[in-house]
Amino acid sequence: MNTGYKSCNTDSCAERRQLLYEISKIDFVLKELNLYLDTHPYDQQAMEAFKHYNMAKNKMVTEYTEKFGPLVLSIVDMDCREWKWATQDWPWEGGYN
Amino acid sequence: MWNYEKRLQFPVKITQTNPQIAQVIISQYGGPDGELAASMRYLAQRYTMPYNSVAGLLTDIGTEELAHFEMICAIVYQLTRNLSPEEIAKSGFDKYYVDHTLALWPQAAGGIPFNACEFQSKGDVITDLTEDLAAEQKARTTYDNILRLVKDPDVCEPIKFLRAREIVHFQRFGEALRIAQENLDSRNFYAFNPEFDK
């Protein structure tokens, strides 16, 4: 039986999905560097890489928040008409993730 | 302290229900080698861990495991979404459904409820890190067992991602054990327990 999951195919959905995919990829790199640095805390190359990808991730999350809604509460959605954190779907529904 | 990111670590988008396979995969939520036990194991062990870098690793892997049981729950949730009473009865999902309807509840595939006895926090550096190495391999074996039963790529892809993470964590815990041993008496690693003997 169908689970009811439908992939949204508009341009806006495609852009949103693509941006979230790029954020997930960068965050995966950050997670890997995070765990590696825990056991190699003096590896300067890894620290440089962490700094680089962390800045890139923040930039992309800010762009995502402005265009589509919040991913984290620390990067604030400036839209004051609606608290999208609560009104938009949660990630376990499938959605854009 | 924790913060939530409103996305899954790896996407879960399942189009076809499968209550039988949901009952198998739920073991990685509440079973003996599941993600919930993994997270609680590492987050419990860290307080008495005497080496900052190892306590950091326990915190960060324990945190990643929270994102993993979120993925497992998303898989089980989507695999059982929109089930009819007929499908529930036919698939054998009725025994779970009668107590939990379609809600998530941590249990092993055999119906045994999640229990803190499923993870160890022993208060000895070598013992705990050896436990963690074994735990990652046990979880990897469970994912291998799941992958032999699952054919749907919507389900296989996130399970394969989780399986690969077990191997990475095993590698990092191996390095943590090396760090611990470098801090101990190389002639006798068991001469004293740095979590107790001062």
Side-chain angles (χ1 to χ4, degrees):
Chain A
M1 189 182 165
N2 200 286
T3 60
Y5 170 71
K6 276 193 227 71
S7 180
C8 166
N9 290 319
T10 65
D11 284 352
S12 166
C13 285
E15 189 193 350
R16 183 171 178 176
R17 201 177 297 122
Q18 183 62 31
L19 191 50
L20 197 52
Y21 178 63
E22 296 301 327
I23 290 168
S24 295
K25 279 201 294 190
I26 281 206
D27 188 69
F28 180 77
V29 173
L30 284 167
K31 191 75 208 169
E32 278 287 82
L33 286 166
N34 169 199
L35 300 186
Y36 172 84
L37 279 162
D38 286 348
T39 55
H40 304 78
Y42 302 100
D43 188 325
Q44 295 191 357
Q45 205 186 344
M47 274 183 268
E48 283 300 320
F50 188 92
K51 209 176 358 169
H52 169 81
Y53 287 110
N54 193 51
M55 283 194 311
K57 184 191 167 186
N58 284 339
K59 219 173 126 202
M60 284 161 84
V61 173
T62 304
E63 184 192 341
Y64 184 93
T65 305
E66 282 166 7
K67 284 185 176 161
F68 307 110
L71 280 181
V72 289
L73 286 169
S74 57
I75 296 181
V76 182
D77 178 19
M78 302 312 268
D79 182 350
C80 292
R81 293 163 301 169
E82 181 186 354
W83 183 248
K84 293 202 196 82
W85 177 265
T87 58
Q88 290 184 338
D89 274 355
W90 291 91
W92 49 87
E93 302 289 349
Y96 296 95
N97 199 215
Chain B
M1 182 30 213
W2 273 267
N3 291 311
Y4 187 66
E5 270 193 50
K6 206 174 164 179
R7 61 182 183 85
L8 300 182
Q9 195 187 8
F10 186 94
V12 174
K13 288 184 264 197
I14 297 168
T15 53
Q16 293 301 311
T17 55
N18 191 334
Q20 287 103 332
I21 222 69
Q23 281 173 291
V24 170
I25 291 175
I26 203 168
S27 237
Q28 280 304 87
Y29 179 30
D33 307 308
E35 302 288 356
L36 178 59
S39 182
M40 295 303 114
R41 175 188 305 116
Y42 309 143
L43 295 179
Q45 289 175 357
R46 69 192 174 135
Y47 296 94
T48 50
M49 182 56 66
Y51 314 118
N52 277 343
S53 61
V54 180
L57 186 71
L58 289 168
T59 302
D60 293 334
I61 295 182
T63 301
E64 187 180 351
E65 308 292 13
L66 295 173
H68 291 176
F69 84 66
E70 183 184 39
M71 280 176 60
I72 290 292
C73 289
I75 293 170
V76 172
Y77 163 66
Q78 292 183 26
L79 282 171
T80 56
R81 193 152 54 181
N82 296 336
L83 288 181
S84 64
E86 292 72 28
E87 282 178 296
I88 288 167
K90 201 173 62 189
S91 63
F93 196 67
D94 50 352
K95 291 170 196 67
Y96 180 92
Y97 156 84
V98 71
D99 290 324
H100 310 294
T101 323
L102 298 181
L104 267 291
W105 189 74
Q107 67 163 50
I112 305 148
F114 176 73
N115 184 325
C117 297
E118 287 161 350
F119 65 88
Q120 297 296 310
S121 184
K122 197 71 173 175
D124 176 296
V125 173
I126 293 178
T127 308
D128 280 349
L129 289 171
T130 307
E131 166 84 18
D132 301 343
L133 286 160
E136 294 295 335
Q137 290 299 345
K138 286 186 278 184
R140 194 266 308 155
T141 303
T142 309
Y143 285 125
D144 280 336
N145 291 346
I146 289 169
L147 286 166
R148 285 191 201 97
L149 301 176
V150 178
K151 301 284 171 270
D152 182 351
D154 289 352
V155 182
C156 281
E157 289 310 309
I159 294 290
K160 277 155 67 183
F161 173 84
L162 292 169
R163 177 191 177 278
R165 298 308 293 156
E166 308 301 340
I167 295 166
V168 171
H169 294 171
F170 179 79
Q171 168 70 24
R172 298 281 96 90
F173 279 129
E175 292 159 358
L177 183 58
R178 175 178 53 72
I179 290 168
Q181 287 172 331
E182 281 167 3
N183 279 280
L184 293 169
D185 182 344
S186 62
R187 292 164 303 176
N188 179 5
F189 290 141
Y190 312 104
F192 66 99
N193 172 10
E195 295 197 34
F196 188 79
D197 302 306
K198 303 295 172 202

